[in-house]
Amino acid sequence: VNATDATIGEIGEGATLARIFPILPSSRRTILGPGDDCAIVTVPDGRVPVTTDLMIEGPDFRIGLSTGYDIGWKACATNLADIAAMGATPTALVVGLAAPAETTVRFVEDIARGFHDAATALAPGCGVVGGDLSNAPLVMLAVTALGEFDGVEPVTRSGASIGNVVAVAGQLGNAKRGLDILFDRAVAPDGTIDPVAVAEAWASHPVDVAAQLRPDPPIAAGRAAALAGATAMMDVSDGLVMDARRIATASGVAIDFDLSTVGDIDALTGGEDHAMLACFPVNAKLPAEFRVVGRVAPGEGVLVDGVPFDSRGGWDPFTDYSATSNQ
Amino acid sequence: VNATDATIGEIGEGATLARIFPILPSSRRTILGPGDDCAIVTVPDGRVPVTTDLMIEGPDFRIGLSTGYDIGWKACATNLADIAAMGATPTALVVGLAAPAETTVRFVEDIARGFHDAATALAPGCGVVGGDLSNAPLVMLAVTALGEFDGVEPVTRSGASIGNVVAVAGQLGNAKRGLDILFDRAVAPDGTIDPVAVAEAWASHPVDVAAQLRPDPPIAAGRAAALAGATAMMDVSDGLVMDARRIATASGVAIDFDLSTVGDIDALTGGEDHAMLACFPVNAKLPAEFRVVGRVAPGEGVLVDGVPFDSRGGWDPFTDYSATSNQ
């Protein structure tokens, strides 16, 4: 078997792990890394934020639109964003990967490289400390991220107060536009993907396509927001309106967006932005990454320019997924 | 829609989560539970063991052999065993569940009940603090467990010394026999499962079938072993010989089993036992759960009654899985 074309079924679990361990990013908080029943990570202040996400071939990515590298990058970046959204710094990841036996070792190595590069770029010092590899008829990633608060208080969704300003760090709407572009140009009605059209979409709309396939969430902005006194914060993964409604509900307030500063309807309802949405006291000095997009008001739910915005927005993996469209 | 027959696709992600949250076990180490970007867990001594495992329909369980309750129980128990095998006490779990949209809410509730009952029985105080729910063409669970050392030193695989005794807590071989019984009697050559035969297998061989479908690993024995001075330990998940070989390799020693105390060939090579395999100084007072089954010797690999045992043993999800047999 040519090593570059070998499949994980041909070389088996142990040999595949031996190929990817050297590629994975390492964590500066590791006491014990991969290879035992558990990894062990230090948590200096005794409080550990933990988040887990599944990324499943079909609802969450399609091979051909995403490379293995993109899949690894996005799985890493989105979990880092959930840690950052608490005001914490990501320190360690564990990664479960299931894939068909006929998957090439090279594809799995590309996933590992995506993790390496995303962790290095977005959260230096955070690494993969353990994982699991198994056999499934489709590719699935299960990522769990840990972090540390390092002296700041966690920022939940429930602390927004009337009069707070509402601010966003990162992109809004680009990920949705990127998905629309890819589906319009590169996915046939039967779900077949045209690799030339994918390359052309990257070339013609690099910002939007990258926002969808290789997102760049503002990880450091999460801790900066906590230090600046943010009262509530979350990662915008299901669309700005849907996620803002969660802060509004948890905090018992309304959130009123100013459409001229948010942007457009894609920015309000498009999913997978992984921007940081935070509320701050009106006299707080906002970190440089944040721009004001609204205010916290009495009432409930989400308003746009003072008018209740009742469109659901966002995305549900059960009711919204179709194998042949981007909805 | 009748609530007991509703599918998760009909009611969606949010309503499904609302149904299962009240069932899930709660953790005494929770600072913040489900519903935010992260959960937050206390780690009193600043060191957190973390382990993750995938359980996938097909290689890891079959619906019809396992109920939803069994699947939840086993996913919980096996992850608790990995924490225990470090000498730690399990404190918190995060659970990713992917399932087809046509899965009933009742099936998902049964999985949650399995988690509740396993955590309550095996590791009181450990609970589910967060998770993710997604859509896939088959049922997959991704469980990550955290724990605490509470003053004991972690017990890795690499500390076994020549002259140590080798001891086991828990069952050996039963899980393999249970799988053989289920496949012999209840799984047709085309993979079809006969539910009457499953019930008969439970009735006629309750110990072996339970060891396979609803394992009962000796969680408290892990911490007891650490307190008693264990030099190396692991959870026996891939078979006693295959896992002992890992301790032998990591520690640079050989492990010599006494067949008369181990039992039989199933006990040596059968997988999924989730017993604790530990090495102790010869003068250590072994916790009550442990029985001596061998000793640590000079050399490498695994011996049985002094003779090198070269049969591979154990199980690889890529090279050993077949949809229609128990190998």
Side-chain angles (χ1 to χ4, degrees):
Chain A
V1 176
N2 179 319
T4 61
D5 296 323
T7 69
I8 58 178
E10 286 165 345
I11 75 171
E13 181 182 9
T16 301
L17 293 176
R19 290 274 288 274
I20 64 177
F21 280 166
I23 301 170
L24 292 171
S26 59
S27 164
R28 69 194 159 95
R29 294 302 191 200
T30 307
I31 297 176
L32 184 69
D36 215 301
D37 296 280
C38 292
I40 306 175
V41 174
T42 53
V43 181
D45 77 358
R47 299 172 300 176
V48 65
V50 54
T51 180
T52 197
D53 265 310
L54 301 175
M55 264 184 61
I56 300 186
E57 184 181 350
D60 296 310
F61 61 86
R62 307 198 186 205
I63 293 169
L65 288 184
S66 293
T67 63
Y69 182 89
D70 296 337
I71 293 164
W73 177 291
K74 186 167 179 173
C76 184
T78 56
N79 279 276
L80 299 178
D82 281 323
I83 296 289
M86 304 303 294
T89 301
T91 55
L93 305 164
V94 291
V95 180
L97 171 65
E102 58 270 26
T103 304
T104 63
V105 178
R106 173 175 280 185
F107 183 84
V108 178
E109 289 176 324
D110 282 344
I111 292 175
R113 271 187 274 275
F115 270 91
H116 177 274
D117 289 359
T120 303
L122 303 175
C126 180
V128 176
V129 299
D132 190 20
L133 178 64
S134 195
N135 183 353
L138 72 173
V139 176
M140 186 198 71
L141 278 146
V143 181
T144 300
L146 307 180
E148 64 189 9
F149 288 103
D150 199 15
V152 309
E153 280 307 298
V155 183
T156 68
R157 299 178 181 182
S158 60
S161 295
I162 295 166
N164 282 177
V165 298
V166 177
V168 165
Q171 305 176 11
L172 288 177
N174 296 357
K176 164 70 161 60
R177 273 194 298 277
L179 191 64
D180 287 346
I181 291 163
L182 288 165
F183 271 83
D184 286 350
R185 301 179 182 202
V187 183
D190 67 356
T192 309
I193 292 166
D194 173 359
V196 173
V198 174
E200 287 171 355
W202 266 108
S204 62
H205 294 79
V207 172
D208 291 339
V209 171
Q212 171 57 226
L213 298 182
R214 217 177 287 168
D216 184 26
I219 303 303
R223 179 169 164 78
L227 289 168
T231 57
M233 182 158 55
M234 67 184 293
D235 160 51
V236 180
S237 55
D238 292 332
L240 184 66
V241 166
M242 193 178 204
D243 286 334
R245 197 173 282 137
R246 291 173 170 142
I247 287 182
T249 300
S251 299
V253 297
I255 289 183
D256 188 358
F257 287 113
D258 171 359
L259 184 57
S260 69
T261 54
V262 169
D264 57 14
I265 187 73
D266 284 349
L268 283 171
T269 61
E272 303 189 273
D273 289 316
H274 302 292
M276 294 291 140
L277 169 65
C279 302
F280 294 91
V282 70
N283 58 352
K285 179 163 164 36
L286 266 55
E289 300 95 325
F290 281 89
R291 61 189 186 279
V292 174
V293 292
R295 65 187 186 91
V296 178
E300 60 180 27
V302 171
L303 304 91
V304 175
D305 294 337
V307 177
F309 188 89
D310 291 330
S311 162
R312 193 195 68 181
W315 191 84
D316 182 297
F318 294 105
T319 55
D320 297 333
Y321 171 63
S322 154
T324 55
S325 84
N326 62 341
Q327 285 307 312
Chain B
V1 177
N2 179 320
T4 60
D5 297 322
T7 70
I8 58 179
E10 286 164 347
I11 74 171
E13 182 182 9
T16 302
L17 293 177
R19 291 274 288 274
I20 63 176
F21 280 167
I23 301 171
L24 293 171
S26 60
S27 164
R28 69 193 159 95
R29 294 302 190 203
T30 307
I31 297 176
L32 184 70
D36 215 301
D37 296 280
C38 291
I40 307 175
V41 174
T42 53
V43 181
D45 77 356
R47 300 172 300 176
V48 65
V50 54
T51 180
T52 197
D53 263 310
L54 301 174
M55 264 183 61
I56 300 185
E57 184 182 349
D60 296 310
F61 61 86
R62 308 198 187 204
I63 293 168
L65 289 185
S66 293
T67 63
Y69 181 89
D70 295 337
I71 293 164
W73 176 292
K74 186 167 178 171
C76 184
T78 56
N79 278 276
L80 299 177
D82 281 324
I83 296 289
M86 303 304 292
T89 301
T91 55
L93 306 164
V94 291
V95 180
L97 170 65
E102 58 269 26
T103 304
T104 63
V105 178
R106 174 175 279 185
F107 183 83
V108 178
E109 289 175 324
D110 282 344
I111 293 175
R113 271 187 273 276
F115 270 92
H116 177 275
D117 288 0
T120 303
L122 303 174
C126 180
V128 176
V129 299
D132 190 19
L133 178 64
S134 193
N135 183 354
L138 72 173
V139 176
M140 296 188 271
L141 278 148
V143 181
T144 300
L146 307 181
E148 64 189 8
F149 288 103
D150 198 16
V152 309
E153 280 306 299
V155 183
T156 68
R157 300 179 180 182
S158 60
S161 296
I162 295 165
N164 282 177
V165 298
V166 177
V168 165
Q171 305 175 11
L172 288 177
N174 296 358
K176 164 69 160 61
R177 273 194 299 277
L179 191 65
D180 287 346
I181 291 163
L182 288 165
F183 270 83
D184 286 350
R185 301 179 182 201
V187 183
D190 67 356
T192 308
I193 293 167
D194 173 358
V196 173
V198 174
E200 288 171 354
W202 266 108
S204 62
H205 294 78
V207 172
D208 291 338
V209 172
Q212 171 57 226
L213 298 183
R214 215 177 288 168
D216 184 26
I219 302 302
R223 179 168 164 79
L227 289 169
T231 57
M233 182 158 54
M234 68 183 294
D235 161 51
V236 180
S237 56
D238 291 332
L240 183 67
V241 167
M242 194 178 202
D243 286 333
R245 198 174 282 137
R246 292 173 170 142
I247 288 183
T249 300
S251 299
V253 297
I255 289 182
D256 189 357
F257 287 113
D258 171 359
L259 184 57
S260 68
T261 54
V262 170
D264 58 14
I265 188 73
D266 283 348
L268 282 171
T269 62
E272 303 189 273
D273 290 316
H274 302 292
M276 295 290 140
L277 169 65
C279 303
F280 294 91
V282 71
N283 58 351
K285 178 164 166 36
L286 266 55
E289 300 94 325
F290 282 89
R291 60 189 186 278
V292 173
V293 293
R295 65 190 186 89
V296 178
E300 61 181 25
V302 170
L303 304 91
V304 175
D305 295 337
V307 179
F309 187 89
D310 290 331
S311 163
R312 192 195 68 179
W315 192 82
D316 181 297
F318 294 106
T319 54
D320 297 333
Y321 171 63
S322 153
T324 54
S325 83
N326 63 342
Q327 284 308 309

